[in-house]
Each structure stands twice: as C-alpha cells, then as structure tokens.
Amino acid sequence: MNTIDPNTHLTIGALIFPDMDQCDFTGPFEALSRVPNSTFLTIAKDTGPVRDLRGLRILPDLSIADAPQLDVLLVPGGHGQEALMHDEAILGFIRKQASHARYVFSVCTGALLCGAAGLLEGKRATTHWTAMDVLPYYGATPVNERVVIDGAMISAGGVTAGIDGSLVVVSLLRGVTVAEELQLYMAYDPQTPFTAGSPATAPVHVLIAVTERAEAITKQRMETGQRYRTRQHP
Amino acid sequence: MNTIDPNTHLTIGALIFPDMDQCDFTGPFEALSRVPNSTFLTIAKDTGPVRDLRGLRILPDLSIADAPQLDVLLVPGGHGQEALMHDEAILGFIRKQASHARYVFSVCTGALLCGAAGLLEGKRATTHWTAMDVLPYYGATPVNERVVIDGAMISAGGVTAGIDGSLVVVSLLRGVTVAEELQLYMAYDPQTPFTAGSPATAPVHVLIAVTERAEAITKQRMETGQRYRTRQHP
C-alpha cells in the first residue's frame, strides 16, 4: 500500500452541522485526531455551538469560510443532513474541498450530502441501511459493505461503521501499523452484547420497529434524491 | 430480567472533564441519549466548554452543583481522569450520585475515578487494558471482560467498550428489545478492518508500541492507586 510520506503534515477536518448524529463524527474523531503528524479541525457553517440530534453541543474550531484546504474531509450524517441538501454554501464547501482533498470520507447519511455535492456520480458507495435505496439518485452504486473505497471517495455505513471506516482511512494515510496501534489504544475489539446490529441479523420485530421509526425521514430522503436526479437528468 | 416500569422517567447523566477521552462519553451517549422516556444530561465541574484530550470541545448542560439526582451516572476516562483523583468536589459528586443512582457506569479509566470515590471496594470491575493492574488498589477484582456488572456498578473496558457497555445498560433499564432497536439504528455490527483491538490479538510490535506510549500515565496511575491504598489501609 502506498501511504503518504510520514514527513508530510496532514490536515484532517470534519464538517459538523445541526441535528447531525454526533457518533458519525465523534467515532472517527477518535482515530483521525490521533494520526501522526496531522492536525484535526472541526468545521461548521459558523462558529457557534452545534447541537446534535440528541442535544450534545459541540464547539467547532472554524467556519467553512475560514477552513483551509483539507487532506481528508469527514462528512457525518444524521437527520440534519436533509436540511443541507440544497444549501449551496455547504455543498460548495464539500465540492471545493473534494476537488483537492486526498480523501472524502462519508459516514452514514453523510454520503447523501456528498451525493448532493455531486461526488457520487459513477461511484460505489454505502450509507445507513435505511438510506441505501437513495444512493442511485446520486449516480452511485449502493454496496452493502461496512466500508467502501472508490478512488478518493470512502464511505462507511450507519453510525458506528464510521469507526471501522476511520481505521481504514488511517491505514491509507499512514499504513496498517499506525491503524493497528490506534485500534489497540481504542480497545476496538467489539463484543456486541446482542446480535441486532444489521437488518440481516436483527429479530424481525426489531427490524420492523426501527424501519417504521425511520419511515418519515427515509421518504423525505427519497424525494430529495428524486428531485436531484430530475434536475441533473431532466 | 427485571427492567424498570416504562412509565418511570429516567434521568441519565455523564460527568465530563478536561482531557477526558471523548469517545468514552460520546460512544455511550449515542445509545443512552435515546433511552425511551428519559432525559440525558451532560455535567461538568462548571458550565464552560470541556476540551477533550485531542481538542474536541463539548458544552455541558449543567454544573455538578446544579445536577439533579441521576438514575444512571456515566463516568468516562482518559488521561484527564488523573487530575481529578484528589478533587473532592468531583469525587463527592460521584459518591453522592452513586448513593442513590440505579447504576454507575464507568468506561475505560473512568473506573479509577469511581475507585477513588470508594465505589469499587469488593467489586469486580474492568478498565482500559493498560490500567487493569491499578484496580486492586481500589479494592476491586480486575476482570478481563469487555463489560462487567457487579450490582449497581457496571464497568466497560477501554474506549470503544463503552458502546458495548451502553447497550448492556439500556437492556437493564428498558429491556433487550429496546437495546436491540438501538443497536440496529446504530448499525453496530462491527467488522474491524484489522484484528489489533486487544493485547491478546495485536501483533507484538503494536502491543509494545502502545504499551510504551502509555508508560508514563500508567506509572502515574499506579502511584495514585498506591497512595489511595495506603491512606485507606495504613
């Protein structure tokens, strides 16, 4: 694997936004903020506190206007992603960063934001399992894997898949040994107490309950995707 | 399993502090902030932003002085835990909460804070693998498991073990189905890209590197533990 010269300083940043799912961001932060010879920046539309879907308030380091070019842009998801799907300041930021970044790394429905910014055309990608059917509207081929690499676009599945994805990103940046060291530090040796973590393994009543709860946001995401497709390919 | 009446509102809170390891807190936040019929409070010594070990800044909801009695107290760890091991305001808060909470849930070296508050005497417990040998100073029996339940004291191992632990806590509070629903929502079906997540599975050079990097803080934690033991059993 060709990693980057360890003497090359890397700037890694995350776009955070209201009603995101904080774990899409904080999971990857754990590994990505510890990449040797790097700086991690938390970036938002402006510099006020950003409130996640469940009320966690995070202070960004910088506004999108003041952010430097990043080597890696992390784009988390969560319900709040929907409110940004026509926000040109945000989409333009993602697009501009993507044009020179080494990697764009989406977690969960952060992939849809990348899609709305035009980054998924012709790409293989993944997202939260409830939103997989939305990906084709953005020209992407949905891949039912936890982490998908397609050139400079790396996508991870729902929420906690970002942790797996972040270790993959670290290995691409600094090699497998560095990723393994971070995995050991993070004690990432999961022993899930239940086996309901994916639609394939969850009990049917659990799958039905969670799918139903996501119905409204899923419908909205589909409609947004349809509108995007119509605009691009009228 | 005897869970709590679903009509009983639960107050769940986390103590956060400077130089904590943010993922010890944000991992469990993901599930615990979604427990049905509950409120989640983020609590710190005072209400200014709390900066984690790697620079993530989180705004607490309340100071320890203003916090109500909690049903569950989450105590994360990280290097910053050491600075609080003689902080009577913090230890008194943990002790007071513990005396009426249904559960105290430590993640990573948050267990050592619980130890310093006197909660681990005669208990089975776990912590980050680098700190397992510190537990006996606090009267605890170290157990090499990812999540350890001993009465009202629940402890999880290093960093990401808090995610596993939080699902266990949810199941104790609201039953297995609710925990499974959250696991599915979080897509917690880990597929670790490498197998270095525990000392037992990490390559030797990785284990040596991470152990060496933790040497200074581990030594400090051992000395703090020794001093505690001497004070309690002179």
Side-chain angles (χ1 to χ4, degrees), chain A:
Chain A
M1 189 153 43
N2 285 322
T3 55
I4 298 153
D5 180 348
N7 296 316
T8 301
H9 183 269
L10 297 171
T11 308
I12 304 173
L15 174 70
I16 66 170
F17 50 85
D19 293 333
M20 68 175 177
D21 192 319
Q22 60 88 24
C23 201
D24 296 3
F25 159 61
T26 55
F29 177 93
E30 194 66 12
L32 295 179
S33 69
R34 287 173 168 84
V35 169
N37 194 16
S38 77
T39 304
F40 192 100
L41 300 171
T42 302
I43 302 161
K45 196 159 184 181
D46 48 60
T47 54
V50 173
R51 191 185 178 283
D52 116 298
L53 198 51
R54 296 302 302 159
L56 186 71
R57 290 180 302 156
I58 296 172
L59 279 172
D61 301 315
L62 285 173
S63 70
I64 52 175
D66 291 332
Q69 175 62 49
L70 304 169
D71 291 292
V72 178
L73 171 65
L74 164 64
V75 182
H79 290 198
Q81 141 272 322
E82 264 303 295
L84 305 177
M85 296 294 276
H86 302 98
D87 185 325
E88 257 314 310
I90 292 288
L91 300 181
F93 170 77
I94 295 174
R95 212 176 283 123
K96 185 162 154 268
Q97 287 291 341
S99 67
H100 290 91
R102 295 167 193 266
Y103 297 105
V104 174
F105 170 36
S106 69
V107 176
C108 199
T109 54
L112 306 185
L113 272 176
C114 295
L119 307 188
L120 296 189
E121 293 286 351
K123 296 278 183 184
R124 302 164 70 249
T126 190
T127 184
H128 194 275
W129 57 270
T130 56
M132 288 293 271
D133 293 344
V134 186
L135 288 176
Y137 292 119
Y138 298 103
T141 305
V143 180
N144 190 15
E145 282 169 18
R146 198 141 168 95
V147 184
V148 174
I149 308 176
D150 189 338
M153 184 72 217
I154 302 170
S155 53
V159 194
T160 55
I163 301 174
D164 304 48
S166 68
L167 292 171
V168 171
V169 172
V170 170
S171 73
L172 292 170
L173 297 172
R174 294 296 192 212
V176 167
T177 297
V178 171
E180 288 178 326
E181 288 174 6
L182 287 173
Q183 186 187 359
L184 180 56
Y185 165 77
M186 290 161 63
Y188 192 45
D189 176 32
Q191 288 158 36
T192 63
F194 313 104
T195 54
S198 90
T201 60
V204 173
H205 64 283
V206 169
L207 179 58
I208 290 171
V210 179
T211 304
E212 281 182 355
R213 221 165 286 151
E215 222 167 64
I217 184 80
T218 302
K219 186 163 172 283
Q220 212 178 316
R221 283 169 173 152
M222 291 292 278
E223 287 167 2
T224 304
Q226 281 157 5
R227 276 199 299 276
Y228 173 91
R229 199 79 207 137
T230 310
R231 226 170 36 243
Q232 300 296 312
H233 305 269

Side-chain angles (χ1 to χ4, degrees), chain B residues 42-207:
Chain B
T42 301
I43 302 161
K45 195 159 184 181
D46 48 59
T47 54
V50 173
R51 191 186 178 283
D52 116 297
L53 198 51
R54 297 301 303 159
L56 186 70
R57 291 180 302 156
I58 296 172
L59 279 173
D61 301 313
L62 285 173
S63 70
I64 52 175
D66 292 330
Q69 175 62 50
L70 304 169
D71 291 293
V72 179
L73 170 64
L74 163 64
V75 183
H79 290 198
Q81 141 273 324
E82 264 303 294
L84 305 179
M85 296 293 276
H86 302 98
D87 185 326
E88 257 315 307
I90 292 290
L91 300 181
F93 170 77
I94 295 174
R95 213 176 283 124
K96 184 162 152 269
Q97 287 291 342
S99 67
H100 290 89
R102 294 167 194 265
Y103 297 106
V104 174
F105 170 34
S106 69
V107 177
C108 198
T109 54
L112 306 185
L113 272 176
C114 294
L119 307 189
L120 297 188
E121 293 286 350
K123 296 276 182 185
R124 303 163 71 250
T126 190
T127 185
H128 194 275
W129 58 269
T130 55
M132 288 293 271
D133 293 344
V134 186
L135 288 176
Y137 292 118
Y138 298 104
T141 305
V143 179
N144 190 15
E145 283 168 20
R146 197 139 169 97
V147 183
V148 175
I149 308 177
D150 189 338
M153 183 74 218
I154 302 170
S155 53
V159 193
T160 55
I163 302 173
D164 304 49
S166 68
L167 291 171
V168 170
V169 171
V170 171
S171 73
L172 292 170
L173 297 173
R174 294 297 191 212
V176 167
T177 297
V178 171
E180 288 178 326
E181 288 174 5
L182 288 173
Q183 185 186 358
L184 180 56
Y185 166 76
M186 291 162 63
Y188 192 45
D189 176 32
Q191 288 157 36
T192 63
F194 313 103
T195 54
S198 90
T201 59
V204 173
H205 64 281
V206 169
L207 179 58

